[in-house]
Amino acid sequence: MIEIREISPPRKLSGLSSFLLKFPYNPQIVDIVKSFSPAVFDKKNLTWEISSSYLSQLLDQLTYLDDIQLTLLPGEIKEISFEPLTENEIKSFRYSPYNHQVEAINFGLRPEHSK
């Protein structure tokens, strides 16, 4: 049995949610999971974490190998709030960034660009 559980926020990956996979060791399953980069293995819990964008492809490949138990989060996931850099944060940089660099950092911090 392959257990797949959605978590939010992700532990090691970016985005709004990710999936944890737990299964008895099977080299075929491990190879499939590793093919969805980035796939992060947690030695403590013996689980794999993968991005939520790979769920349908993962299910397509794993259904041929074993039964799957899929657990999704109830309801909608909260939006990640975005706050531009403050003057104090900008002054804390080792070198003073140019205005276009501050704009680029703020652009990259927006949730729609963290996927």
Side-chain angles (χ1 to χ4, degrees), residues 15-115:
L16 297 176
S17 70
S18 67
F19 286 92
L20 291 181
L21 285 79
K22 187 169 185 134
F23 51 87
Y25 179 74
N26 179 334
Q28 288 179 305
I29 297 174
V30 172
D31 288 340
I32 290 171
V33 172
K34 282 183 176 180
S35 71
F36 296 101
S37 181
V40 181
F41 184 68
D42 180 1
K43 290 180 184 179
K44 181 179 176 187
N45 297 317
L46 300 177
T47 58
W48 286 89
E49 183 176 1
I50 64 158
S51 173
S52 56
S53 60
Y54 296 124
L55 179 63
S56 63
Q57 297 168 355
L58 183 71
L59 290 174
D60 286 343
Q61 293 186 32
L62 293 180
T63 52
Y64 296 108
L65 298 176
D66 202 350
D67 293 334
I68 296 175
Q69 178 183 352
L70 177 63
T71 308
L72 300 175
L73 290 174
E76 293 186 19
I77 298 171
K78 296 179 183 176
E79 271 299 312
I80 296 175
S81 63
F82 162 71
E83 296 177 17
L85 292 176
T86 63
E87 288 295 321
N88 287 336
E89 289 173 321
I90 293 170
K91 289 178 183 175
S92 71
F93 292 139
R94 185 172 183 180
Y95 298 104
S96 230
Y98 293 104
N99 287 337
H100 72 277
Q101 292 172 317
V102 173
E103 290 173 16
I105 292 169
N106 287 330
F107 181 81
L109 288 174
R110 292 187 201 148
E112 62 268 17
H113 300 289
S114 66
K115 295 177 183 174

